[in-house]
Amino acid sequence: MAETIFTKIMAGEIPAEIVYQDEHVAAFRDINPKAPHHLLVVPRKVIPTLNDVTAENSGSVAKIFEALPKIAEQLGFKESGYRAVFNCGPDAHQEVMHIHLHVLGGRDMTWPPG
Ligand code: 5GP
């Protein structure tokens, strides 16, 4: 399987503050946070972009959403609310080619996002 900066974080080769992990996904704090809480929820299986989601790998994507309420509860913003965003491709400025859900919480959000 391809290596990415996120597989290296999940393997413990690059330090990160991991706040949640199970056999399918890990969540860790973004190195450049845009909110008091800014987590990246990442499947252990590498899917480069949302355009690469298929019937064969969509189960890994579902695991992100199964973990999300647990992470929000653990970090204390489940009831106050949060934003959950995937960036895909150049116009969205996706930097890491390993899908990840940005989860931002702990402050009031503006809409539309930039
Ligand atoms: P993207 O633009 O691909 O949607 O988001 C990638 C995110 O990964 C960015 O918010 C960036 O700050 C974060 N990031 C990049 N490298 C690292 C790293 O080494 N550690 C952590 N914790 N986050 C990273």
Side-chain angles (χ1 to χ4, degrees):
M1 188 161 66
E3 278 204 330
T4 68
I5 197 159
F6 294 160
T7 63
K8 290 178 183 171
I9 286 174
M10 290 189 280
E13 296 166 9
I14 294 175
E17 187 183 339
I18 296 175
V19 300
Y20 174 88
Q21 55 186 326
D22 62 31
E23 64 180 307
H24 302 289
V25 304
F28 45 87
R29 292 196 185 274
D30 196 294
I31 202 168
N32 185 15
K34 304 296 188 222
H37 295 288
H38 184 173
L39 296 312
L40 303 173
V41 191
V42 183
R44 294 193 183 279
K45 185 183 182 78
V46 177
I47 302 169
T49 83
L50 287 182
N51 290 334
D52 300 303
V53 175
T54 65
E56 283 68 43
N57 64 23
S58 61
S60 293
V61 181
K63 295 297 179 188
I64 295 173
F65 292 102
E66 290 175 28
L68 182 54
K70 298 180 206 172
I71 295 163
E73 173 139 49
Q74 180 186 321
L75 295 177
F77 53 76
K78 186 175 178 184
E79 302 308 327
S80 53
Y82 53 93
R83 180 156 295 156
V85 177
F86 286 94
N87 292 322
C88 181
D91 275 1
H93 298 268
Q94 181 180 0
E95 293 171 8
V96 179
M97 296 300 131
H98 182 167
I99 61 166
H100 47 283
L101 183 65
H102 291 260
V103 182
L104 300 113
R107 68 166 169 82
D108 192 36
M109 302 287 157
T110 59
W111 190 263

